[in-house]
């Protein structure tokens, strides 16, 4: 049997991730009365986890390193991260301080870096965790694939898993395609990031376009750079995009459809993309681009 922690000695064991704590009422909509000011959580393993004795000792040791919880709290305490063929696997303790057993349901979990900046987000079916005994701490593994991540620079230590609560408003962020990351210099990347940070994000669940740059070239083609903005909480994949461009006078300047393969725009992000309207798609060549917009017709 492969050891979860390898051949690490006790003095080499340490918690690689941080802890996030929320009220049980925010996750379960329930609480219990308690006279205790602090609650020490006891280790609990899933019945189907077949662990070597060395790993059981290691989990017990790491659980003892965690601080007590206050009454009516639930936390996720980071243990370790490994890169796998599927993506990144984060193992953490799911802890709670209620004086009764609890069951968790499908819950959105955010992956944060050491500065609490969002790295990824995914909905996990936590019914698979099983029933957590009263005031217990159960190790569990959360796998984030590439599509769940906003960036691939994952810190080995200092990361944090946190419950995404309904009232939590995550910051709308820039999502650069790999080709853009390679071709843009740092100044251009900063300009795009500042633009996304400065403007109001799209409404919840809304997908729209925001014009960044529009210009005609010598061959009378219209080159347009847009931000494709996804205000939803799920990634979207676009294969064909119908577009129409209007100038400051409300006149249609160009219109046409574009095949973009399978363009992914991650949840709650804006992705810049270039579109070239050949002369045959251009309707108006003396356009006023002092103010303009691009949109999908009939949408």
């Amino acid at each position: 049997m492969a050891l979860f922690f390898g051949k690490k000695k006790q003095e080499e064991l340490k918690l690689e991730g941080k802890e996030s704590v929320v009220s049980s009422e925010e996750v379960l909509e329930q609480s219990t009365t308690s006279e205790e000011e602090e609650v020490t959580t006891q280790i609990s393993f899933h019945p189907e986890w077949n662990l070597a004795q060395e790993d059981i000792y290691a989990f017990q040791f790491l659980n003892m390193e965690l601080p007590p919880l206050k009454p009516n709290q639930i936390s996720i305490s980071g243990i370790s991260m490994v890169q796998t063929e599927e993506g990144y696997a984060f193992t953490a303790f799911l802890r709670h301080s209620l004086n009764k057993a609890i069951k968790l349901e499908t819950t959105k979990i955010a992956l944060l870096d050491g500065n609490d900046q969002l790295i990824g987000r995914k909905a996990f079916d936590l019914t698979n965790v099983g029933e957590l005994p009263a005031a217990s701490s159960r190790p569990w593994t959360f796998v984030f694939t590439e599509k769940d991540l906003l960036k691939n620079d994952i810190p080995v230590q200092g990361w944090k898993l946190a419950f995404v609560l309904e009232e939590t408003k995550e910051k709308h962020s820039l999502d650069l395609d790999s080709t853009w990351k390679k071709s843009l210099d740092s100044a251009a990347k900063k300009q795009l990031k500042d633009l996304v940070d400065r403007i109001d994000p799209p409404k919840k669940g809304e997908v729209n376009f925001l014009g960044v740059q529009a210009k005609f070239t010598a061959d009378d083609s219209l080159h347009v750079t847009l931000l494709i903005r996804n205000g939803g909480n799920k990634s979207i994949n676009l294969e064909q995009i119908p577009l129409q461009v209007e100038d400051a006078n409300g006149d249609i300047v160009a219109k046409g459809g574009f095949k973009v393969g399978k363009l992914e725009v991650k949840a709650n992000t804006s992705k810049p993309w270039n579109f070239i309207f050949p002369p045959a798609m251009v309707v108006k060549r003396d356009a006023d681009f002092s103010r303009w917009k691009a949109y999908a017709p009939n949408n």
Side-chain angles (χ1 to χ4, degrees), residues 195 209-214 224-227 229 292-294:
L195 174 62
F209 304 96
L210 180 72
V212 177
Q213 185 181 63
V224 171
T225 302
L226 301 176
L227 285 177
R229 311 200 307 154
W292 62 280
K293 64 180 180 179

Side-chain angles (χ1 to χ4, degrees), residues 108-168:
K108 293 176 186 176
I109 303 292
L111 172 62
L112 310 173
D113 64 16
N115 297 315
D116 284 347
Q117 295 299 305
L118 183 67
I119 300 176
R121 181 178 54 187
K122 182 179 179 179
F124 290 91
D125 183 4
L126 297 184
T127 59
N128 296 324
V129 177
E131 185 176 77
L132 299 177
S136 64
S137 175
R138 176 166 292 179
W140 198 251
T141 298
F142 303 82
V143 177
F144 286 78
T145 61
E146 185 177 342
K147 67 181 180 64
D148 305 314
L149 302 171
L150 298 179
K151 57 183 180 179
N152 294 320
D153 184 16
I154 311 299
V156 176
Q157 298 184 10
W159 49 269
K160 181 192 298 183
L161 297 177
F163 291 104
V164 178
L165 306 175
E166 288 299 321
E167 61 271 25
T168 301

Side-chain angles (χ1 to χ4, degrees), residues 226-276:
L226 301 176
L227 285 177
I228 306 174
R229 311 200 307 154
N230 180 11
N233 57 13
K234 294 182 179 179
S235 296
I236 59 172
N237 289 293
L238 304 174
E239 295 184 3
Q240 293 188 345
I241 301 179
L243 276 180
Q244 194 159 287
V245 178
E246 286 187 9
D247 69 0
N249 298 312
D251 297 331
I252 297 175
V253 179
K255 58 182 178 180
F258 296 87
K259 293 183 179 180
V260 291
K262 195 172 183 181
L263 182 62
E264 181 187 28
V265 185
K266 294 176 181 176
N268 201 28
T269 68
S270 288
K271 171 168 282 185
W273 206 252
N274 290 323
F275 298 89
I276 300 176

Side-chain angles (χ1 to χ4, degrees), residues 193-209:
K193 182 181 181 303
D194 289 345
L195 174 62
V196 172
D197 290 344
R198 185 173 66 251
I199 59 179
D200 291 333
K203 295 178 182 178
K204 185 177 180 181
E206 182 181 50
V207 177
N208 62 30
F209 304 96

Side-chain angles (χ1 to χ4, degrees), residues 1-182:
M1 179 187 298
L3 293 176
F4 186 92
F5 293 98
K7 291 293 185 179
K8 287 185 178 180
K9 299 178 181 179
Q10 181 168 305
E11 58 268 21
E12 296 174 333
L13 293 171
K14 63 179 180 179
L15 295 164
E16 297 176 358
K18 296 182 179 179
E19 182 172 47
S20 63
V21 182
V22 296
S23 165
S24 62
E25 293 182 341
E26 294 180 289
V27 178
L28 300 172
E29 296 184 355
Q30 58 179 282
S31 61
T32 58
T33 57
S34 174
E35 296 181 359
E36 302 290 333
E37 294 184 2
E38 293 185 336
V39 178
T40 300
T41 54
Q42 302 299 315
I43 194 77
S44 166
F45 296 105
H46 192 281
E48 295 181 4
W49 274 38
N50 184 21
L51 295 171
Q53 195 62 47
E54 293 95 322
D55 284 333
I56 292 176
Y57 290 148
F59 278 120
Q60 289 174 336
F61 171 78
L62 292 173
N63 183 64
M64 290 172 60
E65 295 291 296
L66 294 170
L69 294 175
K70 294 181 179 179
N72 298 312
Q73 287 188 331
I74 298 177
S75 80
I76 310 178
S77 303
I79 299 174
S80 64
M81 180 274 286
V82 294
Q83 189 169 2
T84 68
E85 292 183 358
E86 297 180 20
Y88 294 86
F90 296 84
T91 301
F93 288 114
L94 278 169
R95 304 202 297 151
H96 78 96
S97 60
L98 280 75
N99 57 18
K100 64 179 182 179
I102 65 170
K103 290 183 178 180
L104 298 172
E105 299 180 352
T106 298
T107 307
K108 293 176 186 176
I109 303 292
L111 172 62
L112 310 173
D113 64 16
N115 297 315
D116 284 347
Q117 295 299 305
L118 183 67
I119 300 176
R121 181 178 54 187
K122 182 179 179 179
F124 290 91
D125 183 4
L126 297 184
T127 59
N128 296 324
V129 177
E131 185 176 77
L132 299 177
S136 64
S137 175
R138 176 166 292 179
W140 198 251
T141 298
F142 303 82
V143 177
F144 286 78
T145 61
E146 185 177 342
K147 67 181 180 64
D148 305 314
L149 302 171
L150 298 179
K151 57 183 180 179
N152 294 320
D153 184 16
I154 311 299
V156 176
Q157 298 184 10
W159 49 269
K160 181 192 298 183
L161 297 177
F163 291 104
V164 178
L165 306 175
E166 288 299 321
E167 61 271 25
T168 301
K169 294 183 179 180
E170 297 173 6
K171 185 178 180 181
H172 192 82
S173 59
L174 175 68
D175 174 25
L176 284 178
D177 187 79
S178 58
T179 56
W180 284 63
K181 290 179 181 178
K182 294 177 182 177

Side-chain angles (χ1 to χ4, degrees), residues 181-192:
K181 290 179 181 178
K182 294 177 182 177
S183 61
L184 294 181
D185 59 27
S186 57
K189 292 177 183 176
K190 185 178 185 304
Q191 279 186 324
L192 284 170

